[in-house]
Each structure stands twice: as C-alpha cells, then as structure tokens.
Amino acid sequence: MTASAPATGALPSLRQRVLRHVRGPLVWTWLLGTVFMMGLANHFTQSAFDRALLDDAYAIASHLRADDEGQVALQLTDSELKAALFDQAEYVYYAVYRADGSQLAGEPLPLLPWDESEPVSYRETLYNGQLVRAVALRSAVGEQQFSVVMMHTTRVRDSLFQHLFLYAAIPQLTLLALLLWWLRHRIGQDMAPLAALQTSLSQRDAQDLAPIPPSAPATTREIEQLRHTTNALLARISDNVEAQREFAGNVAHEVRTPLAGIKALADYGLGHADPAVQQQQLQRISDSVARASHLVDQLLLLALSDEASAVQLLPVAPADLVQQAVLRHWDAASRAKIDLGAEGLDTAEAEQLRIAADANLLAAMLDNLVLNALRYGGQSVTVALQSAADGSRIELAVIDDGPGMSEEQCQAAMLRWQQGASGQSLGQGAGLGLAIVGKLAHLQQAGFYLAPRAGGSGLRASLVFNAVHNPAPRAP
C-alpha cells in the first residue's frame, strides 16, 4: 500500500510567502514615505506662500501715514495699489482696520478672531465662496493701532501641491513595482534548486536510494545543506536496507542447512523402532538445535552491530565483567574438562580500573571469545585483565593453548564467514563470532586483535579499551 500525498493545494508556495512578507513592508514604507514627503512639501509650500502674503501685508502697512492733523490714511494711489497687489493667477484682497474695529481702507473683509498675543496670525476661511488664506498683521502709526488683513486664494498653491504629489508619488510607485518584479524574479531563481530537488524526489522510484545529483547550481547554503542532508539520509536508509537484505540472506542460507539436518535426523529416528537408535537421534537433534540456536543468536548480534550507528559509552568495571563471563561458562568448561580461569583480578588496582564501553555489548564480546576458545582451543583457557604502563589503555584477553594459527590465518579468521582449520574440521560455527567481536569493538572505539600466543601454541584474542580516570565510587 502506498501512502497518498497530503493535499497542498490550499497552502501558499514558499516564494509566495516570501514575497508576501517582503511586499507588505515595501508598500507600507512607500505609503508612509509618500505621506511624510507630501506633508513636508506642503509645509514648505505653505511657508513660501505665507511669506509672500505677509510681504503684501507689510507693503500695505508701510504706506499707513498720519497727516498734519494726525489722521492716518493709506498713502497709495489706485495704480500703485494695483501694482502692489497684482497677481495674474490669484485673487488678492486687503483691508485695514482701526483698533475699534472700524475699517480704514480696502474691502469689507470679515474681521476674523485673531490671537491678540501674536503680531502675525494666519487663518484659512471662505470668502466669496472660495477658500482663501488670510493673514492679520498688527501695525502702529504713532500711538494708533491698526490691523492689516490680507486674503489670497489658494488655487496656485493647491495646484503646486498636486503636481508635487504626482511627480513624486508616481515615480516612487513605478520604482516599487519594478522592485517587486525584480524580487519575484530573483526569489524564483533562488528557489529553482529547491524546486528541482522536490521534483527529483517526487519522481524517484521507492527503490532508488542513489544520491541526488545537483540538477541546478546551488544558490544558497541552506539549499545545498538540505541536499547533502537528504543524501546522507538516503545513504543511511540504503545501508539499513542492505543490512536487512544481508541478514535475510544470511538467515536463509545458514539456517536452512541445520534445519534440514534436524529434519533428516528426526525422519531417521522415526523410521527405526529400536529405542537406542531413537535416543541417539534425539541426542543429535538436541545438539543440532543448540548449534542452530547459537547461529541465530550470532546472526541477530551481527545484524545489531550493523545497524547500531551510535553506542553510549559509560564507565564500566572490566574486572566484574571478566568474572561474570568466567562464571557463565564454568559449567560448559567443566563438562568439556577444560581449565577455565581468570588472571589479573585479585589486585586492588584491578578493582579500580574503569573502561569506556557498553556493558551489554562487552559481555557479548567476551562470550564469543570464550566460546571460541572452549570449542577450538586446548585444555586451558584464561581470561586476563591488565593495564598499560601509563594507565591509558586496558586489555581484556582470552588466551588458549590450542593448536593456534599463523598471523595470516588470524587475519583471515576475523572476516565474516571465515573459519580456521579447527572450525572447518569440527564442522561447527558459521565463521561469524570473531567478525562480530571486531564490529562491536569498533562501535565502542576499542581495538580487537587476534594473534598467536607468545611462548607456545594457542591464540591470544585481545580487546583494548580506553581507560576512564577518576571514576565515581562504586555502589556497595
């Protein structure tokens, strides 16, 4: 059964999400920048027009003079007044008021409420149905106070403001559109390797675990790292699948033979009525089942060692593990009349030794080495514990006095499905024990060595671990 792909039609693409996150701030930046710019333009435009309006008020106030009798009047002829207030695009109005509110000159403009504390006041109001800008200027002739009011329509100012808005906002809006187009194009180019990776994975067969080739040049470090990570995952899956296939092949190949032998022994026993023959066949069946069970255990341990990618190394007391291994095989050694013993455990220094290892895996390794020595060695097997002179390395060695092997034979025996001459002559085992020990030693950052025993016949199988200094006190 194949898993159906999740529905993703309602979800936006990564490019759309990135563009959405970029487009929003850009539009708001343009909008706020335009508002700020237009406010600034309006401020300076208003200031320029107010300055011109105030200059007209000063021009009118400068021509207020008193005659010989002390009467104040506006000393401007009509032609001079028209020249002073001439504006071909706007309407300009003026009025001069006395302190009591009576009008001295000009048009009957409304006397708006002004701030008496300020010499100049500005207002915007309606006059003759038009929006005008008004200024009131406080002026004095002698001891008499006057107010000069100037009103100016705002068509030119409003037109100038609109032109500023168009000439400033439209180019910025055009640049914003070009920037968004460019971002969309560049983001699409940067996302192209990611899309190619997705296409490559979606079109790949489930059995294809080959690395993904770079179909497009990587544009970002993250996309390239994603491809490397995906390839690493595919490699781990491929190794796992290969280990499962190898395990299945090993089981099918190695277990079929002992099962066929057990069936043949059972059939032979059932075909004879003699109880002695049946008893003999039952004993052979029991021995064959024991060998098959041991083979299955070895295959399972081999599969475990192949799949284990990381082992947690903790401080372990090697003296305890050696003693336990000897006790576990004591009965088997006694039945086979083999002298099984330990060496290097009866010292205070040995009790304090610690190695960085996994206790369960180390116990399985010692079991393999001791069983090999009991099966193929001579009449004596010793499990020895000793520390290097500098205390950095600790060796656990299984030593036997059997026929032994040469250096070349020792190296070959450490490979999978390889046996020495003793194993081949006895027809026992599958040639997996030493390979398993080597694999488990590698996982625990330890060394495994098989060599002829020094000073005589036999073999020395050594496990060399890193020592752990200043261990924590052992629990009573």
Side-chain angles (χ1 to χ4, degrees):
M1 179 182 293
T2 58
S4 60
T8 59
L11 296 177
S13 67
L14 181 58
R15 183 173 68 175
Q16 289 175 336
R17 287 184 61 85
V18 172
L19 280 174
R20 184 182 303 169
H21 293 318
V22 172
R23 183 172 57 235
L26 282 178
V27 171
W28 277 106
T29 300
W30 168 80
L31 182 60
L32 294 176
T34 301
V35 170
F36 174 78
M37 181 195 66
M38 297 315 300
L40 196 64
N42 182 63
H43 169 73
F44 285 110
T45 303
Q46 184 80 289
S47 297
F49 276 84
D50 286 350
R51 185 70 239 181
L53 189 61
L54 182 61
D55 288 342
D56 289 343
Y58 275 119
I60 296 296
S62 65
H63 289 83
L64 291 175
R65 298 185 182 90
D67 56 14
D68 296 338
E69 297 178 359
Q71 298 293 324
V72 177
L74 180 60
Q75 303 295 328
L76 279 176
T77 64
D78 291 340
S79 59
E80 291 174 338
L81 185 61
K82 290 180 180 180
L85 303 179
F86 174 76
D87 193 316
Q88 63 179 5
E90 300 281 10
Y91 291 102
V92 181
Y93 310 98
Y94 84 97
V96 179
Y97 293 95
R98 298 182 182 87
D100 58 4
S102 60
Q103 187 171 358
L104 174 67
E107 300 186 27
L109 302 179
L111 186 59
L112 302 177
W114 308 105
D115 187 356
E116 298 294 337
S117 63
E118 297 290 338
V120 178
S121 297
Y122 292 95
R123 292 285 187 279
E124 283 194 359
T125 185
L126 290 174
Y127 181 69
N128 290 339
Q130 293 180 312
L131 180 66
V132 295
R133 180 73 170 171
V135 63
L137 173 66
R138 310 293 181 269
S139 180
V141 179
E143 296 182 356
Q144 301 183 49
Q145 299 293 326
F146 297 90
S147 295
V148 179
V149 178
M150 298 294 301
M151 289 187 179
H152 199 294
T153 56
T154 60
R155 290 193 298 270
V156 173
R157 186 194 68 179
D158 295 342
S159 177
L160 179 60
F161 181 78
Q162 291 173 4
H163 282 80
L164 284 175
F165 176 78
L166 293 177
Y167 293 149
I170 291 179
Q172 289 189 19
L173 186 60
T174 303
L175 291 176
L176 177 63
L178 291 175
L179 178 60
L180 289 175
W181 174 85
W182 183 83
L183 284 174
R184 181 183 179 86
H185 177 69
R186 291 301 303 170
I187 291 174
Q189 288 184 334
D190 289 341
M191 293 296 179
L194 186 60
L197 178 62
Q198 186 269 336
T199 302
S200 176
L201 288 175
S202 63
Q203 296 177 352
R204 175 169 291 212
D205 186 81
Q207 303 298 324
D208 186 5
L209 298 176
I212 302 172
S215 56
T219 55
T220 62
R221 181 173 60 253
E222 289 77 11
I223 294 179
E224 185 66 10
Q225 288 177 348
L226 176 60
R227 189 178 69 83
H228 286 307
T229 303
T230 303
N231 284 338
L233 176 61
L234 290 175
R236 292 197 297 271
I237 295 175
S238 178
D239 292 341
N240 190 22
V241 171
E242 185 62 29
Q244 292 178 1
R245 290 174 180 171
E246 183 178 353
F247 174 73
N250 292 340
V251 171
H253 179 270
E254 296 299 327
V255 176
R256 184 184 298 114
T257 300
L259 289 179
I262 292 172
K263 185 178 184 303
L265 292 173
D267 291 341
Y268 184 80
L270 291 174
H272 287 75
D274 187 356
V277 175
Q278 293 180 348
Q279 182 68 26
Q280 182 183 21
Q281 294 304 103
L282 286 174
Q283 182 60 46
R284 290 179 180 177
I285 290 173
S286 177
D287 295 339
S288 297
V289 169
R291 287 194 297 271
S293 177
H294 175 69
L295 176 61
V296 170
D297 290 340
Q298 295 289 78
L299 290 173
L300 290 174
L301 189 57
L302 179 62
L304 176 63
S305 67
D306 284 335
E307 294 181 2
S309 59
V311 174
Q312 186 176 11
L313 303 181
L314 299 174
V316 173
D320 293 345
L321 293 177
V322 168
Q323 185 177 12
Q324 293 169 10
V326 171
L327 292 176
R328 280 196 301 272
H329 300 283
W330 182 265
D331 290 340
S334 298
R335 288 195 301 270
K337 298 181 180 180
I338 297 176
D339 182 15
L340 174 62
E343 183 180 289
L345 305 182
D346 300 332
T347 64
E349 179 185 0
E351 292 292 328
Q352 299 299 321
L353 294 179
R354 297 291 184 276
I355 60 176
D358 183 288
N360 294 328
L361 295 182
L362 181 53
M365 296 160 69
L366 289 175
D367 287 344
N368 266 295
L369 295 179
V370 172
L371 285 174
N372 270 355
L374 294 177
R375 184 175 298 162
Y376 308 122
Q379 300 301 312
S380 174
V381 175
T382 303
V383 185
L385 173 66
Q386 62 182 26
S387 174
D390 59 357
S392 62
R393 309 281 282 178
I394 296 174
E395 179 187 16
L396 289 79
V398 178
I399 308 167
D400 66 70
D401 60 353
M405 294 185 295
S406 65
E407 292 283 353
E408 293 78 10
Q409 290 174 330
C410 287
Q411 295 301 318
M414 296 175 67
L415 302 176
R416 292 184 182 182
W417 313 112
Q418 298 294 322
Q419 287 184 295
S422 299
Q424 294 174 0
S425 62
L426 292 175
Q428 299 179 358
L432 291 175
L434 296 181
I436 291 173
V437 173
K439 179 67 175 179
L440 296 180
H442 176 73
L443 292 176
Q444 298 176 86
Q445 303 176 11
F448 174 52
Y449 309 97
L450 183 65
R453 183 170 69 94
S457 62
L459 290 176
R460 181 186 185 94
S462 302
L463 296 170
V464 181
F465 286 84
N466 293 318
V468 177
H469 299 285
N470 299 323
R474 297 174 58 189

